[in-house]
Amino acid sequence: DTVEILEVNKPNTGRDPFPVFLRRQRLPKIPQSSFVNHETGEGEFSIPGQSKMQTSFFSDRDLRVGKRIRVYNRDFFLYACDKFTREHYQK
């Protein structure tokens, strides 16, 4: 239920050597603008001029190698996963 996004940097590119784009956390499909309890996954956010909406989070069903997802207004292409994740999807 949690996601961590790491950037793969090549040596001597002048980039920050710390590759963490997003620390491990539950990732909302639509970024919230108010409190969300990350332990229970419950919370509400509001968009000006609209009623409050329930927050939904990405799950393993939403993430597939070869798919694109939008994270905080940035597009990401999922091109690989680690061995543990690959074994989880094969179950």
Side-chain angles (χ1 to χ4, degrees):
D1 287 44
T2 61
V3 175
E4 180 178 51
I5 299 176
L6 303 174
E7 183 179 7
V8 178
N9 290 326
K10 295 180 181 177
N12 298 321
T13 60
R15 305 283 302 225
D16 191 3
F18 303 101
V20 178
F21 175 80
L22 183 74
R23 67 177 173 78
R24 183 165 295 281
Q25 60 184 298
R26 294 192 73 194
L27 182 60
K29 291 182 179 180
I30 301 173
Q32 70 277 358
S33 60
S34 63
F35 176 77
V36 172
N37 183 335
H38 294 284
E39 291 179 12
T40 64
E42 297 176 355
E44 294 181 340
F45 69 96
S46 59
I47 298 173
Q50 295 185 5
S51 61
K52 290 187 176 186
M53 301 171 66
Q54 194 67 21
T55 302
S56 62
F57 295 90
F58 281 100
S59 70
D60 57 352
R61 289 179 217 100
D62 300 312
L63 306 174
R64 295 282 184 249
V65 173
K67 187 175 178 182
R68 292 184 185 275
I69 62 169
R70 191 166 197 73
V71 178
Y72 297 109
N73 292 326
R74 293 186 186 198
D75 290 321
F76 286 87
F77 178 74
L78 305 176
Y79 67 90
C81 61
D82 60 15
K83 182 179 177 182
F84 176 83
T85 304
R86 193 173 19 251
E87 290 172 358
H88 171 76
Y89 278 119
Q90 290 175 346
K91 290 182 184 180

